[in-house]
Amino acid sequence: MRLTYTSDVWYKNAVVYCLDVETFKDGNGDGVGDFRGLTQEIDYLAGLGVTCLWLMPFFPTPNKDDGYDITDFYSIDPRLGTLGDFVEFMRTASDRGLRVIADLVVNHTSDQHPWFKESRSGRDSPRRDWYVWSDTPEPDDPKQVVFPDKEDSVWEYDEGSGQYYLHSFYRHQPDLNVGNPEVRDEIARILGFWMELGLSGFRVDAVPFLIENVNPQLANPHEFLADLRAFMTRRKGGSILLGEVNLPYKDLVRYFGDGLGDQITMCFDFIGMQRAWLSMARSDAGPLASALRERPEPPKDCQWAMFLRNHDELTLDKLTKAEQKEIFAAFGPSKDMQIYDRGLRRRLPSMLGGDLRRIKMAYSLLFSLPGTPVIFYGEEIGMGENLDEEGRMAVRIPMQWSKDGGFSQAEPVREVPEGSFAPDRVNVADQKRDTSSLLRWFQLLIERYRECPELAWGEYTVLDTGHPAVIAHRSDADGATVVVAHNLCDTAQDVELKLAGLERYRLTDLLVDGTVDVSADGVVQLPMGPHGCRWLRAAPPEIAPEDASVKAR
Ligand code: BGC
């Protein structure tokens, strides 16, 4: 059966917007963002054009890892509101046509979770093997330690019960043991609960960690992922799992489900993201082009999720040390911008020095890359980071609504930056009034991206441009074609593209007014301004351009 009922595979050209309720909007004046505040801003999000909200963890938590340390999977952190507020938010989001997914953090719990308290209460506790215990843990491989600034082992000795427990992340986050069928059932129950309240799926935290290092080892760890997907589909067709799987392509494709596409629906393209940064640092299309050429096609009904920045550090762990150094030198030269020896705790606009033309190019590139774009709140207005906040919190600062901040009437949960990225310089209200703002640019990119589904799921070909700084590709689907080109450097370049099969076609620019014609031998000359971006729809001479797009069915 051929695909393309766009609403069935809605996630394939969704625009996913990640936000933390805690830092988005305070609705009750206590300095902490909450569901009431978020609900007030749903129209802003709908107006921006995003189609799916990804909520970072909003569950009860001691908050030692910004909510990724959960003490109750079936409730709301009281600082953020009540289940009632959550349901009102869901109702409003659905009324405005927005889907919602949430972080599913079930690799571990907080050590304050009642399950762990019970588990550690004694070796004969009925919940003992809900977690992973050992008398003689394997010696650590330093690469296993995810947060080397705080931990030097993934095992912690528990005095009370005399064994070590596994914690892939911080020691206060003991790993749940999905080797235990009761734990697997409980995870399904959590999914079922939130889907019943309207969620369309989950962003699954730390997927490889979740299915590995469990006791007993699962005969086929991937079967568990397939089971979860099957469960979700039975409950709610069209629900998705968006996986955090930071692995080389050859290992990552297994998480889609070995050609069957029955496990993780969408995986983040961490390799493409890291190579994109290398390309930007060098003003050289090569690294990104090679990622796109190497990248396996996901199985039918699966999709790549594209991003440049997220809520964590900009991890560069899949690049060589020399490549990392190049990126540090270009985008985060001072030590306090760097973290864990492998990443940067900065947002994109500040990394690009606030250069609006370059920032616009970077996001144009993101939206045009084959896959589903995922953006982090505040990117649409070009928010910077606050390096005074600890570690990764530097990028998780309050949303900047107006000149005076506008996030809360009270002292905010985290501080906004000072200087050129402070709210009086970077905020929603000003950019709404300014037709040349980054916010307006995002709206345009989102509109165009949604109108060009072939960009999201078409067959793509990376094109030779004859100029190292210009990256171009074409996406073809159902007889329609879009060609895009981005100039990574700050000088104008003329490029020549060979477009087989588009001889004598007319290319209409989708971002500015203008057309350009393909010659009889299929060549098009494309002038590219400094950090220029072109999105061009191809139409045969006899068809008016507006009729040539792939129509949503
Ligand atoms: C999340 C982090 C979190 C960690 C532990 C990650 O993969 O993205 O923000 O600290 O999981 O839950």
Side-chain angles (χ1 to χ4, degrees):
M1 197 175 79
R2 287 190 51 196
L3 120 131
T4 52
Y5 288 95
T6 49
S7 49
D8 289 349
V9 286
W10 60 270
Y11 48 88
K12 280 204 169 198
N13 71 331
V15 178
V16 181
Y17 186 96
C18 170
L19 67 89
D20 190 354
V21 179
E22 186 187 23
T23 51
F24 199 63
K25 181 75 187 251
D26 175 12
N28 67 356
D30 64 356
V32 182
D34 46 40
F35 277 103
R36 289 195 177 187
L38 171 57
T39 308
Q40 288 161 18
E41 298 301 344
I42 292 286
D43 285 310
Y44 164 73
L45 294 166
L48 178 59
V50 300
T51 64
C52 177
L53 306 181
W54 152 22
L55 305 185
M56 288 167 66
F58 51 77
F59 313 95
T61 172
N63 225 4
K64 287 189 176 169
D65 183 18
D66 199 25
Y68 284 86
D69 46 330
I70 296 170
T71 52
D72 180 0
F73 290 100
Y74 296 100
S75 184
I76 305 280
D77 182 346
R79 296 176 322 136
L80 310 184
T82 63
L83 265 179
D85 294 333
F86 175 81
V87 168
E88 289 310 306
F89 151 72
M90 289 299 296
R91 152 123 188 103
T92 314
S94 124
D95 180 63
R96 309 303 198 275
L98 290 172
R99 291 181 181 263
V100 182
I101 64 173
D103 246 292
L104 178 74
V105 189
V106 288
N107 170 68
H108 46 264
T109 67
S110 158
D111 61 357
Q112 299 307 306
H113 196 295
W115 299 338
F116 187 65
K117 288 188 177 167
E118 213 179 313
S119 179
R120 80 191 313 182
S121 67
R123 292 190 185 203
D124 53 0
S125 155
R127 285 208 209 268
R128 185 65 172 176
D129 61 1
W130 275 47
Y131 294 83
V132 184
W133 294 95
S134 173
D135 290 319
T136 50
E138 299 279 314
D140 283 293
D141 167 357
K143 278 198 266 161
Q144 281 178 292
V145 178
V146 180
F147 298 130
D149 62 329
K150 292 280 187 315
E151 302 295 347
D152 52 17
S153 167
V154 295
W155 292 97
E156 180 73 6
Y157 188 66
D158 178 51
E159 293 284 348
S161 62
Q163 277 187 310
Y164 293 83
Y165 64 85
L166 178 70
H167 61 89
S168 299
F169 296 91
Y170 297 113
R171 74 188 66 179
H172 58 77
Q173 289 169 324
D175 277 30
L176 274 169
N177 179 20
V178 303
N180 179 339
E182 286 177 10
V183 173
R184 298 200 294 274
D185 286 351
E186 191 66 36
I187 291 175
R189 210 167 283 132
I190 294 166
L191 298 176
F193 178 83
W194 291 104
M195 286 198 301
E196 215 56 44
L197 292 184
L199 290 191
S200 293
F202 303 88
R203 176 264 186 187
V204 195
D205 193 54
V207 191
F209 296 91
L210 170 68
I211 58 174
E212 281 158 19
N213 303 326
V214 299
N215 189 15
Q217 288 302 331
L218 296 169
N220 177 4
H222 286 267
E223 208 172 279
F224 171 50
L225 298 177
D227 278 356
L228 280 184
R229 253 296 283 292
F231 168 81
M232 289 172 67
T233 308
R234 284 197 300 278
R235 291 273 171 108
K236 193 171 184 178
S239 56
I240 61 152
L241 294 174
L242 165 60
E244 184 195 26
V245 186
N246 181 5
L247 293 176
Y249 288 136
K250 67 176 181 7
D251 305 317
L252 186 151
V253 283
R254 292 204 60 201
Y255 288 79
F256 284 129
D258 286 327
L260 293 173
D262 61 350
Q263 296 177 29
I264 301 290
T265 331
M266 295 206 286
C267 287
F268 287 104
D269 184 356
F270 276 93
I271 306 292
M273 179 279 285
Q274 301 189 32
R275 303 257 193 99
W277 279 102
L278 190 57
S279 276
M280 289 197 283
R282 291 180 179 169
S283 297
D284 172 10
L288 176 57
S290 70
L292 292 173
R293 287 189 173 116
E294 283 162 31
R295 194 174 80 166
E297 195 182 325
K300 182 171 177 290
D301 290 358
C302 290
Q303 173 68 313
W304 290 105
M306 308 308 294
F307 68 114
L308 285 172
R309 283 298 291 119
N310 67 9
H311 63 294
D312 281 327
E313 78 279 11
L314 163 58
T315 183
L316 302 170
D317 65 337
K318 297 292 181 286
L319 301 177
T320 65
K321 281 284 158 208
E323 291 167 341
Q324 291 178 2
K325 273 197 181 148
E326 286 180 63
I327 296 178
F328 286 171
F331 301 128
S334 86
K335 269 278 164 219
D336 68 338
M337 298 169 176
Q338 300 163 15
I339 187 167
Y340 313 135
D341 216 25
R342 58 161 191 254
L344 290 170
R345 51 190 207 106
R346 306 194 74 191
R347 280 174 169 262
L348 182 146
S350 45
M351 280 190 271
L352 300 189
D355 177 348
L356 188 57
R357 200 163 48 179
R358 197 175 186 193
I359 297 168
K360 285 183 170 178
M361 184 279 299
Y363 286 117
S364 168
L365 178 63
L366 172 65
F367 278 94
S368 71
L369 287 175
T372 294
V374 181
I375 54 175
F376 185 45
Y377 74 94
E379 291 203 277
E380 73 276 24
I381 52 169
M383 274 168 51
E385 66 282 345
N386 181 1
L387 293 174
D388 293 340
E389 292 289 341
E390 212 221 323
R392 292 169 296 157
M393 298 313 123
V395 302
R396 304 184 190 176
I397 50 173
M399 180 68 179
Q400 297 175 187
W401 294 102
S402 56
K403 276 197 179 7
D404 59 356
F407 161 73
S408 174
Q409 309 286 350
E411 183 75 16
V413 58
R414 263 173 230 133
E415 293 295 331
V416 291
E418 291 174 356
S420 45
F421 293 93
D424 62 341
R425 311 277 278 278
V426 176
N427 67 70
V428 171
D430 287 352
Q431 293 196 24
K432 273 190 176 172
R433 287 187 290 261
D434 175 359
T435 50
S436 63
S437 67
L438 188 59
L439 181 65
R440 292 293 181 204
W441 181 244
F442 264 74
Q443 283 176 322
L444 176 67
L445 293 174
I446 293 173
E447 193 181 294
R448 291 294 183 254
Y449 170 78
R450 296 280 293 164
E451 288 165 358
C452 301
E454 62 270 57
L455 278 180
W457 67 45
E459 197 177 312
Y460 68 88
T461 316
V462 180
L463 301 169
D464 288 326
T465 65
H467 193 287
V470 179
I471 182 153
H473 69 276
R474 62 183 280 178
S475 293
D476 297 89
D478 292 352
T481 302
V482 175
V483 178
V484 299
H486 290 88
N487 181 2
L488 303 175
C489 75
D490 59 4
T491 51
Q493 310 294 340
D494 287 339
V495 298
E496 190 177 282
L497 303 180
K498 179 98 185 82
L499 298 172
L502 300 185
E503 294 78 12
R504 296 201 174 83
Y505 272 50
R506 171 156 289 184
L507 305 180
T508 302
D509 206 309
L510 299 174
L511 301 179
V512 292
D513 194 15
T515 58
V516 46
D517 291 329
V518 185
S519 71
D521 52 358
V523 173
V524 68
Q525 310 288 338
L526 217 52
M528 302 288 304
H531 293 308
C533 9
R534 313 287 301 263
W535 292 30
L536 305 158
R537 172 167 296 292
E542 67 277 14
I543 300 182
E546 56 271 24
D547 295 335
S549 59
V550 174
K551 293 287 179 234
R553 293 170 175 83

